[in-house]
Amino acid sequence: MDQSHTLYAAFAAKIDAALAALEKEAVLPPHVSRGSVSVEPPRDPSHGDLATNAAMVLAKEAKTNPRALAEHIVAKLTGDPLVTSAEIAGPGFINLRLAPANWVSEIHAIAELGADYGRSTMGAGRTVNVEYVSANPTGPMHMGHCRGAVVGDALAALLQFAGHRVVREYYVNDAGAQVQTLARSAHLRYREALGEDIGEIPAGYYPGDYLKPIGERLAQEFGPAYVAAPESEWLDMFRERAVAAMMEMIRADLALLGIHHDVFSSEAELQAAKKPEQAEAWLREHDLVFDGQLEAPKGKTLEDWEPVELPLFRSTRFGDDQDRPIRKSDGNWTYFGADLAYHMQKAQGADELIDIWGADHSGTVKRIKAAVAALSEGEGKPIPFDVKLVQMVQLLRGGEPVKMSKRSGTFITIADMVEEVGKDVVRFTMLTRKPEAQMDFDFAKVVEASKDNPVFYVQYAHARIHSTLRKAGAEGIVPSADALARLGEDDLALVKFASQFPREVEAAAKAREPHRIAFYLYDLAAEFHAFWNLGNDDPAKRIIVAQDRELTAARLFLAAQIGQVVRNGLALLGVQAVEEL
């Protein structure tokens, strides 16, 4: 079954056909853009089932007022047997009430499309590069990385479901001071593995026990050859091996969350391939880099500030507050210079770039956006680029801050979290707030069996459906679509909410906000639980009606499709739906 037959897509097509007819009748000018026309549920359900802003957004082009244009559109829709009424509201919105047959058709659509219900072609196969996590390879994944990892992975899945080709990328920061420190820390553990008492780990080194296995591997490989050797003989070699071991650990940690990247790009390899030099040459050729001097930082006087000529990127041309150096005074690349080259490399294989960063990187957003804007200008094609900032998470246990992990030395690892509460709880919880909002992760609350715990509340709805299907099956009643016409207003109200899933997918993908799916699932679960509770007061409204097997079979079929929508939404979040709690 084609997705265009789902309810919102079908009615968007009906509106579009009405507008096309009005073009032929010269009510609308030819080739007017309809990109801003929407079909959505009205804010107040009492106003109808669907609303469209078509007259509001096209009236100016038609050189008429919105209500007048709305009358023409309503005239085209009122003859449709699937529309019971079309009314003009306010300044020109159109509210539609639909025949019950629409909702029965939607139940069939969910059943026929199954795991593909909600899938979209809006991405039109455009390649989107989503870079997320990109933690320094100096230790295991910890809570500071977890939220960005989940947000990035869910966004990648959402964009793919919405018709984009997605490249999931991890940028390995394996050049610079932090990996040199890693190599020295590994050397300490190497000496320890050979029997030396290394005493207390020096300040500035990485103290975690996770480096002990790396030291043991190095001891097995090299024996005592580098115990007393000068640093120049072993530093690069130990760095490469330590980074490789760290990345092996990071991949394993991410796999615990169900996260797997398509591409791991190395900063060291980028620099070895002279990509920053190539980027600088390209930028100079396009007059986007010049040699100049930075202004003295605020608070500095001419006496304690020595101006140095540096290659500067013209970021002020693209909205930044000052031009940015791409090299340091010693000739090495600045972080920005290396990042600029890296983003140029990514843009060569993608139509759009998205970076997921921690909120502590907010100060660099403007300059890197300026760099990608410059790249767009130089290439003569727009390269949309978005940076999503993710706030830190505070870990609690029963409202009290969590003590740190012994394994890491300073932080709670992802492995610690997954071992205690499970992958699905971690993933869903990370998406229950907007990423730019602060979040508390309370180990006690995220496993609580209550409505206040979104993870439980959504999973309980799915488990409840499967429990009902099992109970009916034991009584010899199986779901059937034969008597769907018997479903009443309360039954169809549940379908109306479920039918919003495809448009929620498109809206979330367009906004690049996967948390919208988690919010929708919570609301869908609330609708199902409210529907279930009707049967507590009126036995005739239960899913299993003892004296009416035909109606029971129809409601079971309906419930099974609600379960399908819940599964589809959870799959986008990387969460497995449970069948019993």
Side-chain angles (χ1 to χ4, degrees):
M1 182 175 180
D2 195 308
Q3 287 283 355
S4 65
H5 290 110
T6 58
L7 187 130
Y8 279 85
F11 272 86
K14 287 179 185 291
I15 300 294
D16 197 59
L19 297 174
L22 292 176
E23 273 193 23
K24 288 183 178 180
E25 296 168 13
V27 174
L28 281 173
H31 311 302
V32 63
S33 173
R34 302 172 200 156
S36 299
V37 174
S38 66
V39 178
E40 56 192 22
R43 290 181 182 176
D44 184 344
S46 68
H47 292 168
D49 298 314
L50 297 179
T52 179
N53 64 350
M56 298 289 293
V57 298
L58 299 178
K60 187 175 180 181
E61 293 279 356
K63 296 180 179 175
T64 185
N65 69 69
R67 285 190 69 91
L69 179 56
E71 288 175 5
H72 287 286
I73 298 171
V74 164
K76 296 292 181 188
L77 297 172
T78 48
D80 192 316
L82 294 176
V83 177
T84 58
S85 74
E87 301 171 352
I88 304 169
F93 288 102
I94 301 171
N95 292 327
L96 305 177
R97 296 184 190 278
L98 308 184
N102 288 284
W103 309 114
V104 172
S105 294
E106 193 70 4
I107 300 172
H108 284 291
I110 298 169
E112 291 182 38
L113 288 165
D116 286 330
Y117 181 73
R119 191 178 292 278
S120 170
T121 58
M122 65 169 282
R126 284 171 55 83
T127 299
V128 181
N129 181 297
V130 185
E131 182 212 327
Y132 55 107
V133 189
S134 297
N136 289 337
T138 53
M141 302 301 296
H142 59 74
M143 206 44 229
H145 309 122
C146 182
R147 193 177 183 188
V150 171
V151 168
D153 201 57
L155 176 57
L158 173 64
L159 292 173
Q160 196 165 340
F161 198 65
H164 300 80
R165 179 181 175 271
V166 177
V167 178
R168 297 164 171 83
E169 185 151 344
Y170 187 119
Y171 185 42
V172 184
N173 300 108
D174 54 356
Q178 79 279 355
V179 286
Q180 304 285 57
T181 300
L182 175 70
R184 296 183 182 104
S185 303
H187 188 262
L188 275 179
R189 296 299 189 178
Y190 156 73
R191 286 158 44 198
E192 182 182 44
L194 289 168
E196 184 179 332
D197 182 1
I198 60 172
E200 190 174 337
I201 304 296
Y205 280 52
Y206 296 107
D209 288 350
Y210 60 85
L211 285 174
K212 286 185 176 181
I214 296 172
E216 291 165 2
R217 281 196 224 172
L218 291 167
Q220 289 172 3
E221 183 176 359
F222 298 116
Y226 297 107
V227 170
E231 187 178 273
S232 58
E233 290 185 16
W234 54 261
L235 188 67
D236 286 346
M237 185 165 54
F238 274 45
R239 174 183 58 80
E240 288 176 9
R241 281 164 173 74
V243 167
M246 287 294 98
M247 289 309 301
E248 186 179 316
M249 181 186 296
I250 285 170
R251 284 188 179 93
D253 287 345
L254 290 172
L256 293 174
L257 284 173
I259 294 174
H260 306 276
H261 289 81
D262 302 312
V263 177
F264 287 84
S265 291
S266 160
E267 181 184 2
E269 290 177 8
L270 188 85
Q271 295 194 17
K274 303 293 183 184
K275 294 291 185 180
E277 287 86 349
Q278 293 170 27
E280 181 181 0
W282 185 90
L283 291 164
R284 285 186 183 276
E285 183 183 331
H286 291 82
D287 191 32
L288 292 168
V289 163
F290 68 101
D291 294 317
Q293 296 179 353
L294 292 175
E295 294 181 12
K298 291 179 181 178
K300 295 278 188 181
T301 64
L302 291 175
E303 288 72 29
D304 57 14
W305 168 254
E306 183 181 345
V308 178
E309 189 170 87
L310 298 169
L312 302 177
F313 169 64
R314 296 186 188 277
S315 51
T316 51
R317 187 185 291 180
F318 303 93
D320 202 354
D321 51 5
Q322 68 177 52
D323 294 324
R324 303 289 177 175
I326 60 173
R327 288 183 188 264
K328 304 173 187 176
S329 57
D330 63 4
N332 287 323
W333 298 101
T334 61
Y335 282 117
F336 172 66
D339 277 352
L340 190 150
Y342 170 56
H343 281 79
M344 289 186 72
Q345 175 177 281
K346 286 198 295 183
Q348 289 168 3
D351 302 304
E352 180 178 351
L353 306 179
I354 300 173
D355 288 358
I356 311 295
W357 292 354
D360 55 331
H361 289 78
S362 60
T364 61
V365 172
K366 189 178 285 187
R367 70 192 67 167
I368 203 67
K369 281 194 169 185
V372 176
L375 176 62
S376 295
E377 182 184 271
E379 290 287 338
K381 67 169 186 175
I383 302 173
F385 174 51
D386 194 11
V387 178
K388 296 290 184 186
L389 295 177
V390 179
Q391 287 287 350
M392 294 288 287
V393 178
Q394 182 180 14
L395 290 180
L396 305 170
R397 191 181 301 281
E400 296 297 321
V402 175
K403 292 180 180 179
M404 296 297 106
S405 163
K406 291 180 181 178
R407 175 174 177 259
S408 66
T410 55
F411 44 73
I412 295 293
T413 66
I414 284 176
D416 295 330
M417 295 181 65
V418 172
E419 182 180 359
E420 180 164 347
V421 301
K423 168 185 79 75
D424 292 338
V425 168
V426 174
R427 287 192 66 120
F428 195 100
T429 303
M430 291 297 146
L431 294 163
T432 54
R433 296 204 71 187
K434 295 179 180 179
E436 63 270 22
Q438 293 284 347
M439 170 179 276
D440 290 342
F441 185 98
D442 193 315
F443 282 93
K445 287 190 175 296
V446 298
V447 294
E448 198 175 75
S450 78
K451 181 181 178 181
D452 295 331
N453 177 9
V455 189
F456 169 80
Y457 198 57
V458 173
Q459 291 283 30
Y460 184 38
H462 190 266
R464 225 174 194 180
I465 289 168
H466 274 267
S467 172
T468 306
L469 291 171
R470 286 193 299 271
K471 182 179 178 182
E475 296 176 17
I477 310 173
V478 296
S480 170
D482 292 344
L484 290 180
R486 289 191 59 195
L487 294 178
E489 188 176 332
D490 292 322
D491 305 294
L492 297 182
L494 195 55
V495 187
K496 290 179 184 182
F497 199 90
S499 72
Q500 295 180 34
F501 180 65
R503 61 175 293 277
E504 288 288 345
V505 168
E506 292 199 350
K510 189 174 182 179
R512 311 308 193 227
E513 293 182 343
H515 63 269
R516 291 191 184 196
I517 302 300
F519 293 1
Y520 168 80
L521 288 175
Y522 183 86
D523 291 341
L524 178 60
E527 292 288 329
F528 177 77
H529 292 309
F531 171 74
W532 175 279
N533 290 335
L534 293 174
N536 293 335
D537 300 323
D538 183 353
K541 292 188 175 181
R542 291 175 182 168
I543 295 177
I544 299 176
V545 182
Q547 295 78 26
D548 196 333
R549 295 173 72 89
E550 183 184 64
L551 180 59
T552 296
R555 283 187 177 153
L556 289 171
F557 192 84
L558 164 62
Q561 306 327 312
I562 301 304
Q564 181 70 65
V565 176
V566 173
R567 283 196 300 281
N568 291 3
L570 288 174
L572 287 179
L573 307 184
V575 175
Q576 184 174 359
V578 300
E579 295 189 2
E580 56 184 326
L581 286 170

